[in-house]
Amino acid sequence: EFDIARAMSYTFNSFQMLENFERKELYDEILMDVFTANPQYVSFWLNFELSYVDQRYLNKTGRARYTYYRDNFNNIDYYTDTLDRDASKINMEGAYQKMKVSKLETLIEPYYFSYTGNEDDQVLETSICVPILKNGEFAGLVGSDLLLDYFQDLLSKIDIYGGGYAFFLSNEGTIIAFPD
């Protein structure tokens, strides 16, 4: 999963010279192609710093987000928006801001999220995130969201000689997948 996100990071980084409308069309097409080819993803997304995609944008904060996701009926939906334009309202402890500073690939701790904004639709997922760097500077982030069921399915396919079993823990000790 990291390899896919890495490849997309390199790909999206190479389109900076295109006009905004051409770039957005290309982003949308690539995101949709990758998303439909990977049914294990509950979403596939791209975040770009606004100052990176629009040289006329002079603020140091602000990002554009492009997201494809599967709804509760497995239909594909899409949204795009902007975030973090007001520097005083940015959560500096949030995952995006931490990755912006660290510039490191990240597997986020499991969390609940709703793509509709409705608490009843929340799913337990994790995100695989790869930064987009331009000349060593953070330009954005590309990634996928996976339901934790994905890891349970992977774990069930592991056969350990001698009757042992495998389990999967997050960095902070959350049980992601266990045989029982």
Side-chain angles (χ1 to χ4, degrees):
E1 304 307 333
F2 270 103
D3 288 342
I4 292 170
R6 238 178 253 122
M8 292 300 94
S9 172
Y10 299 136
T11 300
F12 289 130
N13 198 6
S14 63
F15 299 129
Q16 185 185 14
M17 300 320 253
L18 296 175
E19 293 295 324
N20 283 346
F21 72 93
E22 292 175 311
R23 192 175 335 119
K24 185 185 176 315
E25 283 182 12
L26 199 52
Y27 292 163
D28 288 346
E29 186 175 332
I30 293 169
L31 284 168
M32 179 62 154
D33 287 348
V34 172
F35 185 59
T36 55
N38 290 282
Q40 71 274 23
Y41 296 162
V42 69
S43 77
F44 191 66
W45 45 266
L46 167 67
N47 284 247
F48 261 124
E49 292 289 301
L50 290 173
S51 59
Y52 176 77
V53 293
D54 185 354
Q55 303 307 319
R56 295 167 294 175
Y57 187 80
L58 301 178
N59 293 344
K60 293 190 185 271
T61 62
R63 60 182 160 128
R65 177 172 62 179
Y66 312 88
T67 305
Y68 279 93
Y69 68 95
R70 297 182 206 287
D71 67 15
N72 291 345
F73 304 103
N74 213 28
N75 298 316
I76 295 176
D77 210 343
Y78 171 81
Y79 69 87
T80 184
D81 59 356
T82 57
L83 302 146
D84 300 341
R85 287 178 162 230
D86 184 347
S88 68
K89 295 181 180 177
I90 295 174
N91 176 6
M92 297 309 287
E93 294 302 313
Y96 182 86
Q97 295 303 320
K98 285 182 176 181
M99 287 179 275
K100 185 176 176 176
V101 171
S102 75
K103 302 176 189 173
L104 297 175
E105 296 178 353
T106 304
L107 177 62
I108 293 181
E109 285 291 316
Y111 62 97
Y112 285 97
F113 188 77
S114 170
Y115 291 89
T116 65
N118 184 345
E119 201 171 301
D120 295 336
D121 295 339
Q122 286 186 339
V123 294
L124 186 57
E125 66 181 22
T126 188
S127 299
I128 292 173
C129 310
V130 174
I132 299 169
L133 302 175
K134 187 69 173 183
N135 300 322
E137 294 298 315
F138 184 87
L141 202 58
V142 64
S144 59
D145 296 334
L146 297 160
L147 298 177
L148 292 196
D149 298 354
Y150 171 78
F151 297 99
Q152 189 66 38
D153 292 342
L154 283 177
L155 190 74
S156 69
K157 296 174 185 164
I158 296 173
D159 186 26
I160 297 178
Y161 178 76
Y165 59 88
F167 59 94
F168 188 28
L169 296 176
S170 74
N171 271 349
E172 293 182 13
T174 301
I175 297 173
I176 305 291
F178 196 79
D180 184 3

